[in-house]
Amino acid sequence: MSQDSTTAPETSRKLSGRRRREIVAVLLFSGGPIFESSIPLSVFGIDRQDAGVPRYRLLVCAGEDVPLRTTGGLELTAPYGLEALSRAGTVVVPAWRSITQPPPPAALDALRRAHEEGARIVGLCTGAFVLAAAGLLDGRPATTHWMYAPTLAKRYPSVHVDPRELFVDDGDILTSAGTAAGIDLCLHIVRTDHGADAAGALARRLVVPPRRSGGQERYLDRSLPEEIGADPLAEVVAWALEHLHEQFDVEALAARAYMSRRTFDRRFRSLTGSAPLQWLITQRVLQAQRLLETSDYSVDEVAGRCGFRSPVALRGHFRRQLGSSPAAYRAAYRARRPQGGPVERTDRPDRADRLERLDRLERLDRLERADRPDRAEVIEQRSGEHSMPLRRPGAPVGHAGHTSHAAHHHHPPHPDPGKPESDAYAPRLPEQAAGRASGRPTLPGQRERPVG
């Protein structure tokens, strides 16, 4: 269950008598990154009752009998050992030092015992690898940093790894994605234990949002496990990445691999950590994201160049994975894009970008509000054309070139908010109005359609 859930699963085991729910044990190992290790220490180890945050009792425990050296060569001393885990109602394992090394057997035994006695077990970032090594994630949903999710899925095939989530709450087992997602999960624990007000008060103290929307999709890239190079499916995956602009499905990929669809699905999931259809959709969305950032292709053209069968399909998948429509994403990206480096033009320069059209419409609207009624007459005199009455830009045309009744209730030509955010529905600037805004004469016989 992800961060979007309003209710958390019920813990299936009853807490043993010697454990206390308000006691949180943090299990530290040598080589662990200091930032991830400090997150649970800050959330559960500082008394913030004055801010309305109920107090936890923190036990910092050493997971092994060696000096605890962390980022930058710092050496830590933990006041407790593994025996202190027997008193904790919640045990947190921050990021593990290396996904290629097995955790100490004594620490794994202590985690299994804590879970059997009803303790809530939490793995932050690569701490999920420690929980998986202890067998606590078997048959359960879990997440970790998107970069390590394929490795976790391949090494522990019985774990249902979901690299899209910021964190997963499966009742008595909770896991989070990387770094900042550990804060999200710790706030979720406070919210589960003491309510939204307590979590909100703590979030204000930490100067972070109490609940982030979305997941890890926006951070995913085309990275695949290092082991893929030696797998027979590597050629099929490489071909798919090079032909995303073509319309093909998973059946076509299975045929290229000379496998049945069922066998291909199983092999692909073991290799990449995700189902082939979901992987393919994610890659198409990522390609669309890149084109929206680096080109002037319309949304319809982007859909075609990324292998989507229709712009509607692109918009649906794009919104589900990145939390916004393609047009809104492009607008937000360009708003924060540094000045300089022009965006790559398409092979259809006559199709102006939606943002450019909106900008021109805004300039035209400002011209109207300047309340200069003589401008139309000046343009008319310069043009020398009198074949049709001139009027203020944006006024709809009735029969015989006269302004219609709607002209008495003029509205600026802004986009209709009820229509989808799409280039197909973007407001189009009439050539006649564009000519007047730029001071050029209006061609005789031209008529202007109402926009919006």
Side-chain angles (χ1 to χ4, degrees):
M1 186 170 294
S2 74
Q3 76 280 4
D4 295 326
S5 303
T6 55
T7 58
E10 293 294 333
T11 302
S12 57
R13 293 178 175 84
K14 183 178 179 180
L15 198 63
S16 67
R18 60 179 174 175
R19 295 182 181 272
R20 296 291 180 266
R21 295 199 177 277
E22 69 275 10
I23 298 180
V24 177
V26 177
L27 194 57
L28 299 182
F29 299 94
S30 183
I34 193 170
F35 185 84
E36 284 81 355
S37 300
S38 68
I39 289 173
L41 304 183
S42 179
V43 171
F44 302 111
I46 299 177
D47 186 357
R48 296 187 177 91
Q49 295 182 84
D50 60 326
V53 182
R55 185 176 183 179
Y56 289 89
R57 183 183 174 190
L58 181 70
L59 303 178
V60 181
C61 307
E64 51 193 339
D65 295 329
V66 295
L68 303 181
R69 293 188 175 88
T70 184
T71 310
L74 298 176
E75 187 169 314
L76 306 177
T77 301
Y80 301 96
L82 289 173
E83 69 284 350
L85 265 63
S86 62
R87 292 182 279 160
T90 299
V91 179
V92 182
V93 183
W96 174 236
R97 61 172 167 257
S98 174
I99 62 173
T100 62
Q101 295 184 20
L108 299 181
D109 289 340
L111 287 172
R112 296 188 194 100
R113 191 177 312 112
H115 182 246
E116 291 171 359
E117 295 178 356
R120 177 173 51 188
I121 311 298
V122 181
L124 306 182
C125 192
T126 51
F129 282 80
V130 180
L131 274 58
L136 302 180
L137 298 182
D138 291 349
R140 288 178 175 264
T143 192
T144 187
H145 193 293
W146 60 264
M147 190 166 59
Y148 305 118
T151 303
L152 181 65
K154 184 175 183 180
R155 188 173 302 166
Y156 303 99
S158 61
V159 180
H160 306 309
V161 180
D162 189 347
R164 299 169 298 175
E165 299 292 352
L166 290 176
F167 64 82
V168 172
D169 180 349
D170 195 41
D172 51 357
I173 300 290
L174 302 90
T175 51
S176 81
T179 312
I183 301 176
D184 295 315
L185 179 50
C186 289
L187 285 174
H188 171 75
I189 292 173
V190 175
R191 186 182 304 111
T192 301
D193 291 347
H194 302 291
D197 290 344
L202 177 57
R204 286 191 294 273
R205 276 295 184 92
L206 298 176
V207 198
V208 296
R211 187 193 298 264
R212 285 196 294 165
S213 60
Q216 295 191 84
E217 297 96 335
R218 67 194 69 187
Y219 308 111
L220 296 172
D221 66 8
R222 297 172 70 146
S223 300
L224 291 170
E226 295 180 359
E227 302 92 332
I228 191 173
D231 193 280
L233 289 184
E235 183 179 349
V236 175
V237 171
W239 180 90
L241 291 174
E242 293 174 359
H243 294 78
L244 289 174
H245 59 284
E246 301 178 12
Q247 291 187 6
F248 59 86
D249 54 17
V250 178
E251 295 287 353
L253 295 180
R256 291 189 67 86
Y258 301 100
M259 297 179 185
S260 67
R261 172 64 186 271
R262 184 174 181 179
T263 301
F264 181 79
D265 284 2
R266 184 175 65 253
R267 291 284 304 279
F268 193 95
R269 184 183 291 274
S270 68
L271 177 66
T272 68
S274 65
L277 179 59
Q278 182 58 51
W279 179 87
L280 182 59
I281 292 173
T282 298
Q283 299 309 316
R284 294 194 190 282
V285 168
L286 292 173
Q287 178 67 4
Q289 184 182 15
R290 283 186 283 271
L291 288 178
L292 290 169
E293 293 175 354
T294 61
S295 78
D296 271 350
Y297 293 124
S298 70
V299 173
D300 291 11
E301 290 171 317
V302 169
R305 290 173 179 270
C306 296
F308 287 102
R309 298 187 183 278
S310 70
V312 175
L314 166 62
R315 293 186 184 96
H317 290 301
F318 198 95
R319 183 177 292 277
R320 278 190 289 273
Q321 293 204 27
L322 296 178
S324 67
S325 68
Y329 177 85
R330 170 178 274 172
Y333 176 82
R334 292 191 174 181
R336 65 177 182 267
R337 184 170 59 91
Q339 296 300 321
V343 175
E344 174 189 347
R345 302 302 300 178
T346 69
D347 54 351
R348 298 180 62 181
D350 57 319
R351 294 196 63 177
D353 181 80
R354 180 172 183 258
L355 294 177
E356 295 174 359
R357 291 198 301 269
L358 288 174
D359 182 62
R360 293 169 64 192
L361 285 169
E362 289 172 356
R363 292 198 303 269
L364 189 60
D365 187 44
R366 288 196 298 271
L367 177 63
E368 274 196 307
R369 287 183 308 212
D371 195 21
R372 290 179 289 181
D374 58 329
R375 181 172 177 81
E377 285 78 10
V378 172
I379 296 175
E380 181 179 348
Q381 291 172 5
R382 289 180 179 176
S383 66
E385 300 292 345
H386 302 279
S387 59
M388 66 178 295
L390 288 171
R391 52 191 171 78
R392 296 182 62 172
V397 177
H399 296 290
H402 296 290
T403 56
S404 68
H405 176 72
H408 298 289
H409 304 280
H410 173 70
H411 298 283
H414 285 201
D416 184 350
K419 293 181 180 178
E421 294 181 334
S422 160
D423 280 0
Y425 289 92
R428 302 186 181 277
L429 181 67
E431 292 301 320
Q432 181 182 9
R436 293 177 180 175
S438 61
R440 296 191 302 272
T442 303
L443 296 178
Q446 279 188 327
R447 289 191 176 186
E448 180 179 342
R449 294 183 302 172
V451 296

